[in-house]
Amino acid sequence: MTPGFEGSYLGATDKISPLAIMECKICWTPYDPAEGDDTRQVMPGTAFVDLPEDWSCPGCSAPKAQFLVREDPGAASAPVLAEMERRTQALVADFTEVFNGKMRDVPMVNHALHVQAVEFQPYEGGFLGVLVAPWFMNLVFLPPADYPLLPATGKEVLVFPSGEYEFIHNAREMTGPYLACSLFSPMGDFTSQLQAVDVARAVMAELFRPENRAETDRAADIRARREAELAPPVDSLPTAEEPSRRRLITGGLGG
């Protein structure tokens, strides 16, 4: 049972995390967000607090208020996860505004893509993940409040298990300060949002693998892991630019 939360749920959304597994106190039917609810077409990954208000127990039709917390693996981190959600939503909102206001009609934009924050996670007091946009893919660090900031466009090297990466400091109205490391720009080689997100997830996995560190103590070239998936058919290869311009966590990113 989550500390400080005994008895029924009773709408206490501030006391359970999105990972909370709930249990009906009448028939003991569980609700696991990882599984969702097929009976009401609730998709896996839907938190209990995000269920429709008229949702009821699939076992006995009891209302949400009659559920107890069976276990909540995310309870201790719930405030951190909420802050991460708030900051990544602001990041997405900022760059969606940039797209709508400045980039929509720029030829380099890939209209098969949209702005999305991918695989963000708590890191060094802030949050780290990949931002996918129709014209770039960047590794982004949203720093904590006490992080020493540099002027806009100032460069800083961050060290990960796979090597050293150069980030550029910047700030936007909704996002606030952030550090960005370029992975791809432009995004013409991606054919779908799903493909771009898949690569972004691979970036986050490879970033923390020490075996990717090159002998020069710089990040190894991970691009080969996704090259086959990203390469267009031979008869559609661009003539003006080589597909090797794609950059995905290589030594001296952005350089």
Side-chain angles (χ1 to χ4, degrees), residues 170-190:
N170 217 323
R172 294 203 61 83
E173 182 177 355
M174 288 181 278
T175 303
Y178 68 93
L179 285 71
C181 177
S182 177
L183 299 175
F184 286 85
S185 183
M187 298 286 282
D189 292 322
F190 292 91

Side-chain angles (χ1 to χ4, degrees), residues 129-215:
V130 175
L131 184 65
V132 172
W135 67 102
F136 70 82
M137 184 189 296
N138 286 352
L139 190 61
V140 173
F141 178 48
L142 301 173
D146 58 352
Y147 194 86
L149 300 173
L150 298 178
T153 72
K155 296 180 180 180
E156 178 180 355
V157 173
L158 299 185
V159 181
F160 296 94
S162 61
E164 301 176 355
Y165 301 92
E166 185 177 84
F167 283 71
I168 295 177
H169 284 243
N170 217 323
R172 294 203 61 83
E173 182 177 355
M174 288 181 278
T175 303
Y178 68 93
L179 285 71
C181 177
S182 177
L183 299 175
F184 286 85
S185 183
M187 298 286 282
D189 292 322
F190 292 91
T191 59
S192 69
Q193 184 76 13
L194 181 63
Q195 185 187 42
V197 169
D198 184 50
V199 170
R201 288 173 175 159
V203 167
M204 291 301 294
E206 300 294 344
L207 189 66
F208 292 96
R209 291 178 178 166
E211 60 267 31
N212 291 321
R213 181 181 288 272
E215 293 181 1

